[in-house]
Amino acid sequence: YRPQTHERLATTLAPQLSFDAVATPQPITVLEQRPDVQAAWARAEAARRRIGARKAERFPNLTFSASLGSQGANLSQAIDVLDNWTLSLAQNLGGTIFDNGRTKASIETAEGVYTERLATYAETVVRAHGEVEAALEDFRYQTERYQLISSQLSAAQNSFDTQRRRFERGNGSYTSVLDA
């Protein structure tokens, strides 16, 4: 008597997924691609540029405009217009120069924010580097584990094939086939 159930066991036991070899990247290339590292760098770079903007505030902000029309009917009114323009220019220049240290404090604040952003960036890179190293180590471990399981599967398949052939020739028992 030959049971027909052994034909079901003849189907392949290999996984249906394809596990092609993946090149292990260098940690620095992985770090460069991480969004958290890129965002931290962008924030630090923005803070650095804000320092330049604050330093530019030390210089006078002059705007020139012109208008057409009559400012006055006589010479004294025209001189008043010139006096107003000169006064406006003096206030603009004086306001920039004599601002009671507001611009200097603004620059120092921007430099402090930049220093903080650099420290945050460094912390992000260190943390990301640890995560990348752990992930690459886990990848290596999983690759070795997959190779071990694949070799065990191959050995089990060979054992099954051997026991099945022995059973089909009448040299082995069906229990051996099931065990294999």
Side-chain angles (χ1 to χ4, degrees), residues 9 16 21 51:
L9 296 176
Q16 300 300 316
I51 293 172

Side-chain angles (χ1 to χ4, degrees), residues 47-48 50-51 54-55 57 101-117:
R48 185 186 67 81
R50 257 185 241 110
I51 293 172
R54 298 301 177 258
K55 286 181 178 180
E57 289 176 356
R102 182 188 61 79
T103 305
K104 182 180 178 187
S106 176
I107 292 170
E108 289 173 356
T109 301
E111 288 172 344
V113 169
Y114 177 61
T115 302
E116 178 185 350
R117 297 296 161 102

Side-chain angles (χ1 to χ4, degrees), residues 51-85:
I51 293 172
R54 298 301 177 258
K55 286 181 178 180
E57 289 176 356
R58 292 185 297 188
F59 302 108
N61 184 10
L62 300 175
T63 54
F64 295 102
S65 62
S67 61
L68 295 174
S70 170
Q71 294 292 332
N74 58 24
L75 184 60
S76 67
Q77 288 178 342
I79 292 174
D80 285 342
V81 169
L82 183 61
D83 284 342
N84 287 339
W85 183 82

Side-chain angles (χ1 to χ4, degrees), residues 92-138:
N92 191 0
L93 291 174
T96 303
I97 295 170
F98 305 108
D99 65 352
N100 294 326
R102 182 188 61 79
T103 305
K104 182 180 178 187
S106 176
I107 292 170
E108 289 173 356
T109 301
E111 288 172 344
V113 169
Y114 177 61
T115 302
E116 178 185 350
R117 297 296 161 102
L118 276 181
T120 302
Y121 172 70
E123 179 184 337
T124 302
V125 168
V126 168
R127 184 179 63 251
H129 185 269
E131 291 172 2
V132 166
E133 284 294 324
L136 289 175
E137 185 60 33
D138 186 50

